[in-house]
C-alpha cells in the first residue's frame, strides 16, 4: 500500500516536473518568437497594392456630351473614383460621427457643411447607416485647364437607416438627383458644391419573373469528396458529370448548388471559380438538369456600408450566367433567418429585400427565392420572391399542416421544400439515432406528403460525406457525425435503402 | 323598382363614406402641415409648423443636399413647431421631410433657394498662359455664390470683361448648371489680357492671362570675326536676326537656338545660344588649319535659318623640323603665323610612326612658344628604320627610312 502511494507520488512529481519544464520552454520560445517579429521586409518598398474596393455601387455614365474640354477615359475614371470615395467617406462620417477622411474629398468650404451635420447629429446621438446603390452621373462640363468638372448624378438610389440613441427611427430608400461641382486640388477631385435637385421615395415595383418553376424535383448537390468546397482545386467536371447522371437516372430534374461568398472572392469574383460554376451548369445542361444557384452561402455581415460589395458579387454572377439554359432560379441566400439573432432581423431582411431588387433588375427571366431554414420564416418578403422556399428537418407529422398554412399565407405562390432529409447516423455520439431503414422510411413518407400536396422539392443530399468543415454545423462531434450521413449513397458508393425514395416514382 | 335601387345605392354610398370618415376621426395621429410655402430662401431661420390635436411629440426626419438629421418639436398652443438647424436652412436644394408617426405617413419636401445676391464670385481661370494668334484660348469659369456659399440659381447674369491693349470686351452670360464660362481667345499680339467679371453689381478682382508669342518663323544668321585666319585661337561669333513669330511678336527670351557647323571633312560642330530680345548669339573657336564651314541654325521642330559659308585661310605655309640626339629628339618649329609672329600656344602637332607600312604609334602635342618637341623613347622604338609622318596646321611632312640609333 505504502509502495503504491509512493509510486503515485513519484509519478506525480515526475509529471509535474515535465509539465513545468514544458511551460517554461513554451514561455521562452513564445517570448523569443515575439522578439523576432519585425516588419515584413517587402513592406520597405511599399510595393503592396493600397487600393482595396470598399465601395462599388452600380454606376453608369451617361454618354459623354459635355461642354468645355473633351475628357479622356483616364481622367473620367479618376473623377469617378474620387467622387465615389467622397460618397463613401460621407457615409462613414455620418455612421460614426467622425469626420476623418472628409478633408480629402471635400474642399475647405464644402467640408464645413458635413462637419456641421456631424456635430449636429452627434449632439442628439443620431447615427445614419447609409449607402448608395446606383449612380447615373452625366458629365456636364469639364474646364479647359482640366481643373473643374460639373456632374449631374441622376437617380441616385440612396438607402438610409437612421438611429437615435441606438434605436432605429427610420429606414428609407430615396431616389435623388444631385448636381456637384468638383475641383482638382492636391491631386484629389474634391467636391466644391453639392445641390440636391430632386428627391422622392423609391420603391422598386415588384415584377414577377418571366419564367416560373413548375415541377422542381431535385436534390442539393455537393461532390462526395469535396463537400462545401465544390469549386476548389480538386474540381472535376467528370465527377460532376457522373453524379449528374446518377441524379438524372434517379428520376430527378434539378440540383441546388452553392456559391460561398469568401470562397468566390467577395466583391471581386474569382474568374476561375466562376468558370467552374459555368462548367457545372454546362454539365447539368448536358444531362438535362436544371440548376438552382444559391448566391450567398457562408455570408453573414449584412452591414449597410458593405452592400455595394455584396451586390457587385451578385451582379457579376447573375449577369454572367442569367442566360445559361441550365439556370432555373436564383436562391438569394441560404438560411438567412439563422442570422436574425446575431445580426438583427431588420438588417437581414433589408439586405435580402435590396438584393432581390438587384437580381431582378439584372435578370428579368429567372425566378428568385430565399432559402429559409424553416416554415415559420418562409412568409418573410413573400410578395417579393417569385416562389417560396423552406427547409424542413423537423418531424414529418407537422409538415402537412405547415404546408397548408404556408399555402394560404402566401396566396398559393409556388412552394419548394428546398432542403429536407434525415441522417442515418447511429453510433457513439448518438446511440439512439436513425438507421438506414429509418432514413428510407423518412424519405418514403416525405415523398407521400409531397405527392399528396403537389409540392416541389429538393432533398438533402446525394452523398454521405467524410469531412464536414466546421463552418457548417460547428465542431460538436454529434452534430458533425450526424451531418456526415444525410446522403442517399454511402461512403462506399453503395445506394442506401433511402435511394428508392429519392424521387416521386 | 328602379327608384328603390337608386335609393339603395345612394344609401350604400353614404354608409361607406360614413365608415370612412369614422375611420379618419378615429385616427389619433391627425397632424397636418400648416406651413404653406414650399419655396424658401436660404437663411438662418426657417421653420415648419404642423397642427396637432394631441400631446404627442413626433420627431421630424430632414434630409438636404449634404446630410440627414432628426429634429425634436416644440409644442406651442397646439402647433407643432420645428426650427430647422442652420446646416439645413442655410444650404440650397430640395429638402425632404417625414413626420415620424407610427400610424400614418406624413411626408413632403420644399425647396431652399439661394438669396439672389452675390457675395463671392468664385472664379477659376486657366490655362494661365496662351499662345498668340487667335487659336489658343483660356477659359474663365465663374460660380456666383451667395452669403452662405450656395451657387446662385441658373440664368443669373454674369458679365465677363477683358482688356487687351486698347480693346475692351464685355460679354453677358447666363449661368447654366450654376456657373458661367467664357473662352478668351488670344489676340495676334503677345502681351497680357486682363480679365474681370461682374454679376448682380458685384465685381470680381482682376485676373490676367499671359499671351505668349506663337512659334517662330524662319530667320537669318550672320557672323562676326576678327580675321579670317585659321589660327585655332580667335573666336567667330554667330548671330540670328531678330526672331519673330508670324504675327511679328519677338519670340520669348530664352528660346534655344542651335547652330550646326559642317566642316570640309564632314565633321559636325555644334554650338548654341538662347535668345535675348529675339537674337541668339553663339561662338566657335577658329579651326587651326585651312577649312570651309557651312553653318545653319535651328529652333528645333519650329524654325531654321539660311545657310552661311565661311572660309578660313591658312596661317603657315611651311615649318622647319630638326633632329638631334640620334634623331630621337624631333623639334618642330618655329611655327610662325600670318604676321610671322610665333603662333599662339596650343596648336596641335601630331607625329605618326610607321614601321614597314604599319602604324606603330601616334603622339600628339600642343605647341608652346612656337615649338613642339617630341622625344622617341628607346624602349618603345628600338634602333631600327622608321617612317615618320608629321602633321601641323594642315601641313603634312613625311620622312622615310629614318634610322634611329
Amino acid at each position: 500500500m505504502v509502495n503504491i502511494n509512493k509510486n503515485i507520488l513519484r509519478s506525480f512529481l515526475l509529471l509535474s516536473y515535465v509539465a513545468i519544464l514544458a511551460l517554461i520552454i513554451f514561455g521562452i520560445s513564445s517570448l523569443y518568437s515575439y522578439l523576432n517579429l519585425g516588419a515584413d521586409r517587402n513592406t520597405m518598398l511599399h510595393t503592396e497594392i493600397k487600393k482595396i474596393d470598399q465601395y462599388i455601387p452600380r454606376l453608369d455614365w451617361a454618354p459623354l456630351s459635355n461642354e468645355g474640354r473633351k475628357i479622356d477615359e483616364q481622367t473620367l475614371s479618376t473623377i469617378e473614383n474620387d467622387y465615389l470615395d467622397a460618397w463613401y467617406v460621407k457615409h462613414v462620417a455620418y455612421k460614426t460621427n467622425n469626420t476623418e477622411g472628409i478633408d480629402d474629398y471635400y474642399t475647405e468650404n464644402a467640408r464645413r457643411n458635413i462637419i456641421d451635420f456631424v456635430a449636429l447629429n452627434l449632439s442628439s446621438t443620431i447615427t445614419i447607416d447609409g449607402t448608395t446603390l446606383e449612380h447615373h452621373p452625366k458629365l456636364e462640363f469639364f474646364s479647359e485647364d482640366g481643373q473643374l468638372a460639373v456632374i449631374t448624378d441622376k437617380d441616385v438610389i440612396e438607402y438610409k437607416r437612421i438611429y437615435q440613441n441606438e434605436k432605429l427611427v427610420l429606414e428609407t430608400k430615396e431616389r435623388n438627383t444631385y448636381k456637384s461641382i468638383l475641383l482638382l486640388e492636391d491631386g484629389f477631385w474634391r467636391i466644391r458644391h453639392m445641390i440636391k435637385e430632386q428627391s422622392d421615395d423609391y420603391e422598386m415595383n415588384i415584377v414577377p419573373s418571366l419564367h416560373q418553376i413548375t415541377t422542381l424535383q431535385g436534390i442539393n448537390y455537393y461532390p462526395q469528396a469535396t463537400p462545401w468546397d465544390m469549386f476548389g482545386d480538386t474540381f472535376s467536371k467528370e465527377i460532376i458529370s457522373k453524379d449528374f447522371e446518377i441524379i438524372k437516372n434517379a428520376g430527378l430534374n434539378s440540383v441546388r448548388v452553392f456559391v460561398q461568398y469568401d470562397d468566390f472572392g467577395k466583391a471581386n469574383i474569382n474568374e476561375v471559380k466562376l468558370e467552374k460554376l459555368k462548367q457545372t451548369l454546362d454539365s447539368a445542361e448536358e444531362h438535362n438538369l436544371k440548376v438552382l444557384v444559391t448566391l450567398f452561402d457562408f455570408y453573414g455581415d449584412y452591414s449597410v456600408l458593405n452592400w455595394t460589395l455584396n451586390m457587385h458579387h451578385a451582379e457579376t454572377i447573375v449577369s454572367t450566367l442569367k442566360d445559361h439554359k441550365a439556370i432555373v432560379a436564383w436562391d438569394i441566400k441560404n438560411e438567412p433567418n439563422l442570422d436574425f439573432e446575431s445580426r438583427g432581423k431588420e438588417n437581414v431582411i433589408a439586405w435580402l429585400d435590396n438584393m432581390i431588387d438587384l437580381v431582378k433588375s439584372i435578370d428579368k427571366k429567372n425566378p428568385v427565392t430565399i432559402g429559409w431554414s424553416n416554415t415559420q420564416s418562409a412568409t418573410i418578403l413573400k410578395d417579393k420572391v417569385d416562389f417560396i422556399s423552406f427547409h424542413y428537418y423537423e418531424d414529418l407529422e407537422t409538415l402537412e399542416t405547415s404546408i397548408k398554412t404556408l399555402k394560404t399565407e402566401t396566396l398559393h405562390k409556388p412552394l419548394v421544400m428546398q432542403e429536407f432529409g434525415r441522417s442515418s447516423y447511429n453510433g457513439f455520439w448518438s446511440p439512439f439515432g436513425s438507421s438506414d431503414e429509418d432514413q428510407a422510411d423518412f424519405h418514403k413518407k416525405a415523398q407521400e406528403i409531397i405527392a399528396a400536396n403537389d409540392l416541389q422539392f429538393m432533398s438533402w443530399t446525394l452523398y454521405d460525406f467524410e469531412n464536414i468543415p466546421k463552418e457548417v454545423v460547428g465542431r460538436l462531434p454529434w452534430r458533425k457525425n450526424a451531418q456526415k450521413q444525410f446522403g442517399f449513397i454511402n461512403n462506399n458508393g453503395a445506394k442506401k435503402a433511402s435511394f428508392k425514395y429519392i424521387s416521386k416514382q | 323598382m328602379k327608384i328603390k335601387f337608386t335609393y339603395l345605392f345612394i344609401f350604400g354610398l353614404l354608409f361607406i363614406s360614413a365608415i370612412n370618415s369614422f375611420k379618419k376621426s378615429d385616427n389619433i395621429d391627425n397632424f397636418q402641415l400648416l406651413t404653406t410655402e414650399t419655396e424658401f430662401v436660404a437663411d438662418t431661420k426657417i421653420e415648419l409648423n404642423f397642427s396637432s390635436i394631441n400631446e404627442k411629440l413626433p420627431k421630424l426626419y430632414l434630409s438636404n443636399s449634404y446630410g440627414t438629421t432628426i429634429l425634436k418639436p416644440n409644442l406651442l398652443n397646439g402647433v407643432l413647431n420645428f426650427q430647422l438647424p442652420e446646416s439645413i436652412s442655410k444650404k440650397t436644394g430640395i429638402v425632404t421631410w417625414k413626420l415620424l408617426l407610427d400610424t400614418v405617413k406624413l411626408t413632403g419636401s420644399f425647396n431652399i433657394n439661394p438669396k439672389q445676391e452675390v457675395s463671392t464670385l468664385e472664379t477659376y481661370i486657366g490655362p494661365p498662359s496662351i499662345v498668340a494668334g487667335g487659336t489658343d484660348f483660356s477659359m474663365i469659369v465663374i460660380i456666383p455664390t451667395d452669403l452662405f456659399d450656395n451657387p446662385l440659381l441658373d440664368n443669373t447674369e454674369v458679365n465677363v470683361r477683358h482688356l487687351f491693349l486698347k480693346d475692351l470686351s464685355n460679354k453677358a452670360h447666363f449661368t447654366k448648371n450654376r456657373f458661367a464660362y467664357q473662352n478668351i481667345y488670344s489676340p495676334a499680339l503677345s502681351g497680357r489680357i486682363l480679365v474681370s467679371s461682374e454679376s448682380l453689381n458685384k465685381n470680381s478682382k482682376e485676373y490676367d492671362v499671359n499671351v505668349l508669342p506663337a512659334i517662330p518663323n524662319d530667320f537669318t544668321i550672320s557672323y562676326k570675326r576678327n580675321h579670317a585666319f585659321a589660327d585655332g585661337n580667335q573666336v567667330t561669333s554667330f548671330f540670328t536676326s531678330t526672331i519673330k513669330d508670324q504675327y511679328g511678336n519677338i519670340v520669348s527670351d530664352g528660346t534655344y537656338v542651335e547652330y550646326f557647323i559642317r566642316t570640309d571633312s564632314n565633321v559636325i560642330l555644334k554650338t548654341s545660344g538662347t535668345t535675348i530680345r529675339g537674337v541668339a548669339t553663339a561662338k566657335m573657336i577658329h579651326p587651326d588649319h585651312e577649312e570651309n564651314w557651312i553653318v545653319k541654325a535651328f529652333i528645333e521642330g519650329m524654325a531654321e535659318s539660311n545657310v552661311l559659308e565661311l572660309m578660313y585661310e591658312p596661317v603657315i605655309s611651311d615649318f622647319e623640323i630638326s633632329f638631334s640626339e640620334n634623331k630621337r629628339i624631333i623639334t618642330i618649329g618655329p611655327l610662325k603665323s600670318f604676321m610671322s609672329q610665333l603662333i599662339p600656344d596650343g596648336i596641335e602637332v601630331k607625329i605618326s610612326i610607321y614601321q614597314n607600312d604599319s602604324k606603330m604609334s601616334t603622339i600628339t602635342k600642343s605647341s608652346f612658344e612656337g615649338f613642339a618637341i617630341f622625344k622617341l623613347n628607346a624602349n618603345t622604338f628600338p634602333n631600327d628604320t622608321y617612317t615618320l609622318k608629321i602633321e601641323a596646321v594642315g601641313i603634312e611632312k613625311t620622312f622615310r627610312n629614318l634610322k634611329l640609333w
Side-chain angles (χ1 to χ4, degrees), chain B residues 1-13:
Chain B
M1 197 64 191
K2 224 175 184 180
I3 295 168
K4 224 179 185 180
F5 229 99
T6 321
Y7 270 115
L8 222 79
F9 183 69
I10 291 169
F11 193 71
L13 271 184

Side-chain angles (χ1 to χ4, degrees), chain B residues 12 23 32 36 158 289 316 359:
Chain B
K23 256 189 184 166
Q32 266 180 347
T36 47
V158 175
H289 53 272
I316 302 173
K359 193 188 223 173

